[in-house]
Amino acid sequence: MKKAGTADLPLHHGFVPLWLAERMAKLGRAIVEEILAHKGKNELLSRLSDPFWFQSLGAVMGMDWHSSGITTSVMGALKRSINPNAKEFGLYICGGKGNQSKLAPSQLLKYAESNGLDGNSLVRSSKLSAKVDNTAVQDGFQLYQHHFVVSNEGNWTVIQQGMSNASATARRYHWHAPSLQSFTEEPHTFVYGENRGAILNLTDKQAQPLKQSIMDIASESPVKMLAEIEQVKRLVMPNHHDVRAENIDMKRLGAVLWLAQEKNVANFEELLLLEGLGPRTLQSLALVSEVIHGGPARFKDPARFSFAHGGKDGHPFPVPTKVYDETLATLQNAIYKSKLGRSEQSQAIKALSKIAAGVEDDFVPNGNFDELLAKERADSWKYGGRTVFGKAKSPTSTQLALF
């Protein structure tokens, strides 16, 4: 069983504009369909329980790369993509943010009944996961989101988030059914929040004398403070909004940028089917391919995936809507052809991440990160760049205006 780790998400206020929300839902569906086709439902649930992959998914979708809003927006996009296709995908997302979280039990019972599952057991798992993170682990964060993702085979993942008004941060909790041995003894696959010292953690093995059951613990007075559980994974997201070189594995990003140049594409037989795409779309598609096909070790620098479709707040650059739409169209076309038994294009997309990874060993970054950002921002208007503040504009002419 995996032990928990910690990191912080700065609280960001605002909204996801409609033009981005619609694209996020479409890209979410395409990524889900590709993972289901190549790896299956259990692999998708496993990835959702990995905070590094989850953060990378949010970044590649064009959300603010490090904010607490990634949880709300990504789960909202997936819910709009998955639930209408629950029968086809064999997956369903219950609960949500605020009052929507209270609907999880009734939604689970309904889904369980139509799929021959033990609804009471699923509801119990949903309630206990929330009770543990709100009561048994007393870390100063109160839950305000609870998402329960369940398959028609009864496997599940929980993604829920708490807020601390005192520190203006959020903490995300990840659970995964196959990794769960006990609800009351180190149950998480990950806890996402900054280490703030001693907490009362009744899921620690050392707390065994204090817990006969999780419901008893909820009403008991704590008798001692326990050290926060040992970390296996730790992802700390900074407070600064801008993406910096220190947030990214430059060898990995550089390999993707090198691969995206048109003159290099023809060198790879696997990519001939994608040769019609421009270099900027290939850059995005390579990062999306990595989210779909990459292994766990590929997601240690989630900020890198913001170089696919930027961020709605303009960091690292405005969302290139034209590139976003071309990436979507390529993925959707590959999925459609795969369903007809023609998987060549889908395999070509899969090859992108493998080739980029193969380039890394001998790749030496040239250190022009600031120039890369400046170029992306200068060219943003060409790609239909947009943020919550408006559309990117072309540089104004320096010529003297006479009229």
Side-chain angles (χ1 to χ4, degrees), residues 59-364:
V60 87
M61 282 181 161
M63 264 301 294
D64 302 339
W65 63 285
H66 72 317
S67 78
S68 60
I70 273 188
T71 311
T72 306
S73 58
V74 169
M75 292 310 299
L78 293 181
K79 196 171 184 178
R80 291 192 299 274
S81 303
I82 290 175
N83 285 5
N85 302 283
K87 188 172 183 180
E88 177 187 353
F89 293 168
L91 291 168
Y92 193 78
I93 300 178
C94 303
K97 181 181 178 181
N99 289 332
Q100 290 293 316
S101 64
K102 300 176 182 178
L103 300 178
S106 60
Q107 292 170 345
L108 279 170
L109 288 173
K110 184 176 180 180
Y111 185 77
E113 183 179 0
S114 60
N115 288 276
L117 302 176
D118 185 345
N120 291 329
S121 177
L122 291 173
V123 170
R124 181 175 183 272
S125 297
S126 171
K127 290 183 176 181
L128 282 175
S129 64
K131 180 65 71 174
V132 166
D133 289 338
N134 230 21
T135 303
V137 178
Q138 297 185 18
D139 53 6
F141 291 80
Q142 293 298 305
L143 292 186
Y144 67 101
Q145 291 191 54
H146 174 79
H147 306 270
F148 195 100
V149 191
V150 61
S151 77
N152 57 5
E153 297 170 350
N155 193 7
W156 54 265
T157 283
V158 167
I159 299 169
Q160 53 194 6
Q161 187 158 293
M163 180 189 301
S164 169
N165 292 324
S167 61
T169 54
R171 176 165 290 178
R172 192 169 67 231
Y173 306 83
H174 291 253
W175 297 64
H176 190 212
S179 302
L180 184 68
Q181 295 181 2
S182 167
F183 276 99
T184 59
E185 190 170 290
E186 300 187 357
H188 304 90
T189 58
F190 202 90
V191 179
Y192 194 63
E194 184 179 353
N195 188 330
R196 296 187 177 278
I199 65 170
L200 180 63
N201 177 19
L202 297 175
T203 68
D204 194 296
K205 288 183 178 179
Q206 298 179 53
Q208 186 61 39
L210 296 178
K211 57 190 184 188
Q212 298 302 316
S213 72
I214 191 64
M215 299 308 293
D216 292 336
I217 292 174
S219 60
E220 289 177 356
S221 298
V223 297
K224 66 177 181 178
M225 297 297 290
L226 301 169
E228 191 167 10
I229 58 178
E230 177 185 359
Q231 305 304 309
V232 174
K233 290 184 177 180
R234 182 167 183 170
L235 175 60
V236 178
M237 304 304 285
N239 286 320
H240 59 79
H241 288 239
D242 55 316
V243 179
R244 303 173 184 175
E246 66 209 48
N247 305 131
I248 292 172
D249 186 322
M250 295 303 295
K251 289 189 68 171
R252 289 181 175 177
L253 178 61
V256 169
L257 299 178
W258 175 84
L259 175 63
Q261 299 304 308
E262 282 185 308
K263 62 178 180 294
N264 294 316
V265 175
N267 296 333
F268 304 105
E269 183 178 346
E270 299 95 328
L271 304 186
L272 291 179
L273 291 173
L274 303 177
E275 193 171 3
L277 297 179
R280 186 57 188 81
T281 301
L282 277 172
Q283 174 182 323
S284 296
L285 201 57
L287 290 166
V288 171
S289 172
E290 193 167 338
V291 166
I292 296 171
H293 300 288
R298 305 293 301 176
F299 306 110
K300 293 183 178 180
D301 58 334
R304 175 166 51 96
F305 293 89
S306 64
F307 278 80
H309 298 126
K312 68 177 178 64
D313 62 350
H315 297 293
F317 45 81
V319 177
T321 58
K322 293 180 180 178
V323 173
Y324 207 128
D325 292 343
E326 192 171 5
T327 302
L328 267 174
T330 303
L331 275 173
Q332 290 170 339
N333 187 48
I335 292 168
Y336 174 74
K337 288 182 177 179
S338 292
K339 290 179 178 179
L340 297 178
R342 297 159 54 193
S343 61
E344 297 90 347
Q345 194 172 31
S346 182
Q347 291 301 319
I349 293 172
K350 183 177 182 179
L352 276 173
S353 58
K354 290 185 177 180
I355 293 171
V359 169
E360 290 170 14
D361 292 341
D362 300 320
F363 190 87
V364 179

